[in-house]
Amino acid sequence: MHRRTKIVTTIGPASSDESMLAQLIEHGTNVVRFNLAHNTPERLAAHIERVRAISSSLHKSIGIWVELTSAHLQLASPNRPTLDVIAGDTIYLTDDDSASAYHFACDLDVILPHIRIDDTLFLDRGRIRLTVIRVDKTLIACTVTSKGYIHGNESLHRMGGGLNYSKPSAQLEQELAACVAVNADFIALPNVTNADEVLQAKKLVQSADIQVLAKIERAEAVANEDTLQAIIAASDGVIVSRRDLSTEVGDAELIGHQKLIIQRARLLNKCVVTATEMMASMQHNPYPTRAEVFDCANAVLDGTDAVMCSAETATGEFPLETLQAMHNACIGAEKQPAAKTSTHRMDEAFTRTDEAIAMSVMYAANHLKGVKAIICLTESGSTPLWMSRIRSGLPIFAYTRHAKAARRVSLYRGVEAIPFDVTKHPNQQVNHLAVDVLRQRGTVRDGDLVILSKGDFMGVHGGTNGMQILSVGSIL
């Protein structure tokens, strides 16, 4: 069975050598993720060059995702020894960390306006929980509520959000320029709290044709539906970044937010990725827990375009096994009828001809017996994106002459890119040649039906204005 849900694989020390990269790509990775926090521009360029060489040799279109560095408030005592704490201990956030081992420096000017007694604070994205018991101009006193250890440079969060720390604009521009230099396909923009932040980043990379994905990980982003809606609308796609988001909204609230984000992204015709700790136990174990399999499958049934491996493939002991486990979980979920039926946009009007064609193709494909595949001749990847918003068990093949578009659709659920230069073939031969590609692959055979979308003027962006239902083996 062909897997429709895409898998994003984070590359790190456990997966960056050529042999492991080749295995991961060959066995189902659709998009590779690099984090700028762990790569110099030179190292990033070398990694991406290696990925593209391997994917080319394997005849696969693999998307390149570069994640910008996160801007978190952190403790500012990096040279302090690790401090073991137990429930009931008191630690102090202060400008001066010299008073005792329990005093940690931080940026009080930024933090103090947002802190109140009884607030819950988190260190290291939730690993250590603190309750604020005193606030004055020189320190914040907190009671530790669980056993653990504290490093001197832990990230600091507040339940409910509010501890915002903006990355300097010069740093943002520098990081975006690095992404442009390596010709990234996707940029993950962290810590998004409003649509303007997304629009600013998109403006800075608009000449490079790079998709900007907003990471939904702050409480402010989900504080109200209008803010979330605006962020999704402004972006090219969104990432449900569950570790930081759960830290700020609480684990119990996370699943509701995840489902809403996926639903809204699909309604707005944006791709959506579910990320963080999906197979966390596989960092050190060759098999996932049942809870992890259920978690992955649940995201698939909700309609996520992709699921993501983080530390599991970056630094874990079993990167290839993690990929296989995630693949199996996706396949299991996709067998369910709920993953193949859709009422998406049944009651809505369309504003573009190519969008109307995309929806018409999917309606016909899901209701006409004998259809085995959908062929979409595309310049930018927009039409297959719209098609992929409709749940279906049928494969969507994006035929394109542009490598950029081929890599872009690597993140779209149910879409597979096929290199095809429509401008090099006479119009009257295009249907036959396009269908013949699928027949040679064994995807279709004589008597099967294929639905094909294209424009009257081949090779024109946004020109899709027609669909045809073709019978394989007949005159096309």
Side-chain angles (χ1 to χ4, degrees):
M1 180 177 174
H2 177 75
R3 170 170 49 81
R4 299 178 62 77
T5 308
K6 302 305 181 71
I7 295 178
V8 180
T9 301
T10 302
I11 304 302
S15 50
S16 59
D17 69 87
E18 189 167 342
S19 174
M20 180 54 71
L21 271 175
Q23 291 183 74
L24 290 169
I25 291 172
E26 188 171 13
H27 287 86
T29 290
N30 303 106
V31 176
V32 295
R33 170 179 176 255
F34 295 99
N35 197 322
L36 271 181
H38 306 300
N39 287 281
T40 64
E42 295 76 19
R43 186 185 303 154
L44 178 66
H47 283 319
I48 292 175
E49 183 179 354
R50 187 180 304 119
V51 168
R52 289 194 167 138
I54 293 170
S55 58
S56 177
S57 68
L58 294 172
H59 305 290
K60 292 179 179 289
S61 296
I62 302 297
I64 300 293
W65 164 329
V66 179
E67 187 140 334
L68 305 189
T69 60
S70 293
H72 289 297
L73 281 169
Q74 289 182 293
L75 302 184
S77 303
N79 299 319
R80 293 283 299 279
T82 298
L83 176 68
D84 290 322
V85 293
I86 60 173
D89 283 347
T90 301
I91 71 164
Y92 304 91
L93 308 180
T94 177
D95 282 332
D96 182 6
D97 62 2
S98 63
S100 79
Y102 290 84
H103 286 67
F104 292 88
C106 65
D107 192 340
L108 283 184
D109 289 341
V110 173
I111 297 173
L112 277 174
H114 308 288
I115 298 297
R116 301 291 182 268
I117 291 174
D118 293 331
D119 277 355
T120 298
L121 303 181
F122 297 98
L123 296 176
D124 195 23
R125 295 175 170 89
R127 189 175 50 79
I128 297 292
R129 181 175 295 203
L130 311 171
T131 299
V132 177
I133 58 174
R134 193 176 96 201
V135 180
D136 61 37
K137 294 180 180 180
T138 60
L139 62 76
I140 301 167
C142 306
T143 298
V144 178
T145 62
S146 59
K147 181 180 179 180
Y149 51 88
I150 300 175
H151 299 293
N153 59 347
E154 305 279 22
S155 60
L156 179 67
H157 293 264
R158 174 183 174 272
M159 175 70 81
L163 297 185
N164 293 332
Y165 178 76
S166 299
K167 184 184 298 182
S169 57
Q171 182 183 351
L172 175 64
E173 292 177 14
Q174 184 179 21
E175 292 185 3
L176 290 172
C179 295
V180 171
V182 297
N183 193 24
D185 301 302
F186 309 99
I187 291 173
L189 185 66
N191 309 124
V192 173
T193 60
N194 60 69
D196 288 342
E197 294 168 355
V198 181
L199 295 173
Q200 178 191 6
K202 290 182 71 173
K203 183 177 180 180
L204 292 171
V205 298
Q206 62 184 353
S207 62
D209 192 24
I210 298 175
Q211 302 257 289
V212 174
L213 310 178
K215 291 186 71 176
I216 309 298
E217 56 186 343
R218 284 286 183 84
E220 292 87 342
V222 296
N224 63 74
E225 293 191 15
D226 288 342
T227 299
L228 177 62
Q229 188 97 346
I231 290 171
I232 297 172
S235 70
D236 295 303
V238 293
I239 306 155
V240 189
S241 186
R242 305 184 307 173
R243 183 172 61 177
D244 283 356
L245 185 58
S246 66
T247 300
E248 297 207 350
V249 303
D251 293 338
E253 303 292 329
L254 177 62
I255 187 62
H257 287 298
Q258 175 176 310
K259 288 178 177 291
L260 178 63
I261 294 166
I262 293 173
Q263 178 195 56
R264 290 299 172 87
R266 294 187 67 83
L267 286 172
L268 291 170
N269 294 323
K270 309 291 184 174
C271 67
V272 54
V273 181
T274 306
T276 321
E277 298 178 344
M278 302 210 76
M279 297 281 174
S281 73
M282 292 194 72
Q283 291 182 59
H284 308 293
N285 296 290
Y287 303 105
T289 65
R290 289 187 181 90
E292 288 166 344
V293 173
F294 275 46
D295 178 34
C296 184
N298 182 64
V300 172
L301 290 174
D302 283 342
T304 192
D305 284 273
V307 288
M308 190 177 91
C309 305
S310 302
E312 301 97 328
T313 54
T315 59
E317 299 172 39
F318 303 98
L320 197 58
E321 290 84 351
T322 300
L323 177 66
Q324 187 62 55
M326 193 166 271
H327 168 86
N328 291 340
C330 292
I331 289 291
E334 289 170 8
K335 291 179 180 178
Q336 302 305 309
K340 303 176 184 179
T341 57
S342 176
T343 57
H344 178 65
R345 301 201 67 175
M346 290 292 289
D347 301 318
E348 295 184 31
F350 307 122
T351 58
R352 294 181 52 161
T353 300
D354 45 1
E355 184 181 6
I357 293 297
M359 297 298 102
S360 300
V361 167
M362 296 309 297
Y363 187 87
N366 281 343
H367 290 81
L368 179 62
K369 290 183 178 180
V371 176
K372 300 299 181 183
I374 298 157
I375 295 174
C376 174
L377 305 184
T378 183
E379 290 290 299
S380 66
S382 294
T383 305
L385 171 62
W386 288 318
M387 290 178 176
S388 68
R389 302 307 86 189
I390 304 296
R391 294 177 186 264
S392 173
L394 296 170
I396 301 166
F397 295 97
Y399 282 50
T400 183
R401 61 196 175 113
H402 301 291
K404 193 75 169 179
R407 296 195 300 267
R408 178 173 295 162
V409 304
S410 65
L411 200 56
Y412 301 164
R413 181 167 172 152
V415 180
E416 180 181 346
I418 292 181
F420 189 87
D421 191 344
V422 70
T423 66
K424 293 185 176 180
H425 307 294
N427 283 354
Q428 63 271 22
Q429 294 183 18
V430 166
N431 289 4
H432 171 77
L433 293 172
V435 171
D436 197 49
V437 170
L438 296 188
R439 178 157 45 182
Q440 291 179 26
R441 290 164 55 112
T443 305
V444 298
R445 58 186 181 181
D446 287 355
D448 290 340
L449 297 180
V450 173
I451 304 182
L452 182 146
S453 68
K454 63 180 180 179
D456 286 338
F457 300 98
M458 301 294 188
V460 176
H461 174 74
T464 299
N465 63 359
M467 58 174 277
Q468 293 175 278
I469 301 173
L470 309 173
S471 178
V472 179
S474 301
I475 297 175
L476 305 178

